[in-house]
């Protein structure tokens, strides 16, 4: 029996906590009507950086137009539960022949239920089916839900000589936003 998901209201968007309801999880492309929910997940997940004394990161949010463009290009995925409402999202891109994870975020009310890993696994399955050799990403080295988490999901930290030109350009862009105030790493998950 599936229990009724808990609900809470955050800035006008009703969140449905999945309460361990992994049986009904679904990863699919984001719908236009869900873009505001994705923005709220982005905002809520970003607030977690206050816990690690990085308040500047909390304000580094996706612009609505950029999210809409990612959705239109088929690069914005959501994970839902029984009520078919986003509880997390994933944005991907192709960089140097690999699927690059631009962002994976889960609403904090649904954290620690395997949703982020399910999104990453979905990206890996899609990439492998298309003959793509790996997933890549850039992340904070010491934030528990960043590099240490990705290692548990099958990623490894790249040596400087392994970083491709496209990923190096992403790191340079991140540095221009001030993200190099904290140690960042490039990671890869071979498929």
């Amino acid at each position: 029996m599936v229990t009724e998901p808990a609900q809470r209201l955050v800035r006008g968007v009703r969140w449905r906590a999945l309460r361990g309801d992994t049986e009904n999880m679904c990863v699919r492309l984001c719908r236009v009507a869900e873009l505001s929910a994705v923005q709220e997940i982005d905002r809520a997940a970003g607030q977690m950086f206050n816990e690690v004394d990085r308040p500047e990161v909390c304000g580094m949010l996706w612009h609505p137009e950029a999210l809409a463009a990612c959705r239109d290009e088929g690069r914005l995925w959501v994970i839902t539960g029984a009520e078919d409402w986003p509880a997390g999202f994933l944005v991907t891109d192709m960089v140097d022949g690999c699927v690059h994870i631009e962002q994976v975020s889960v609403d904090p009310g649904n954290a620690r239920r395997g949703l982020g890993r399910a999104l990453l696994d979905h990206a890996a399955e899609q990439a492998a089916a298309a003959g793509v050799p790996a997933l890549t990403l850039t992340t904070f080295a010491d934030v528990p839900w960043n590099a240490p988490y990705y290692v548990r999901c099958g990623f490894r930290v790249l040596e400087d000589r392994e970083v491709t030109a496209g990923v190096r350009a992403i790191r340079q862009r991140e540095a221009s936003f001030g993200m190099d105030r904290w140690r960042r790493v490039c990671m890869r998950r071979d498929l």
Side-chain angles (χ1 to χ4, degrees):
M1 176 179 143
V2 176
T3 60
E4 184 67 25
Q7 298 183 351
R8 64 185 170 92
L9 201 59
V10 178
R11 294 188 190 200
V13 177
R14 190 164 301 279
W15 294 104
R16 286 96 173 162
L18 300 183
R19 289 196 175 188
D21 179 19
T22 57
E23 182 178 315
N24 292 303
M25 284 192 319
C26 173
V27 177
R28 59 170 172 72
L29 289 169
C30 182
R31 298 174 182 144
V32 172
E34 297 166 335
L35 287 170
S36 62
V38 169
Q39 289 175 290
E40 289 299 323
I41 293 168
D42 188 27
R43 187 172 290 111
Q47 293 303 308
M48 292 175 57
F49 284 96
N50 280 319
E51 297 172 18
V52 291
D53 198 29
R54 296 181 187 171
E56 298 92 335
V57 178
C58 298
M60 294 180 181
L61 304 173
W62 282 86
H63 292 285
E65 299 82 16
L67 277 177
C70 291
R71 192 211 69 81
D72 292 347
E73 295 164 4
R75 303 186 302 114
L76 175 57
W77 298 83
V78 295
I79 189 162
T80 67
E83 291 190 7
D84 196 33
W85 191 250
F89 72 94
L90 171 81
V91 179
T92 63
D93 200 1
M94 288 298 295
V95 177
D96 297 329
C98 295
V99 171
H100 187 76
I101 306 299
E102 290 193 36
Q103 183 162 344
V104 59
S105 291
V106 173
D107 172 59
N110 286 299
R112 305 186 68 83
R113 291 183 171 90
L115 279 67
R117 182 181 295 265
L119 285 161
L120 292 168
D121 288 346
H122 176 79
E125 290 167 12
Q126 295 287 312
V132 174
L135 302 179
T136 60
L137 57 81
T138 62
T139 194
F140 292 111
D142 61 344
V143 173
W145 61 89
N146 279 198
Y149 169 76
Y150 293 121
V151 166
R152 292 190 304 274
C153 292
F155 286 82
R156 65 181 175 82
V157 175
L158 295 175
E159 299 290 331
D160 189 55
R161 62 179 167 70
E162 297 177 288
V163 178
T164 62
V167 174
R168 196 171 304 280
I170 290 167
R171 285 288 297 115
Q172 289 170 346
R173 188 179 75 234
E174 291 171 350
S176 74
F177 298 147
M179 293 178 78
D180 272 7
R181 291 183 52 202
W182 309 280
R183 191 168 149 255
R184 294 197 45 92
V185 293
C186 302
M187 302 184 80
R188 178 181 173 110
R189 175 176 164 178
D190 293 310
L191 305 176

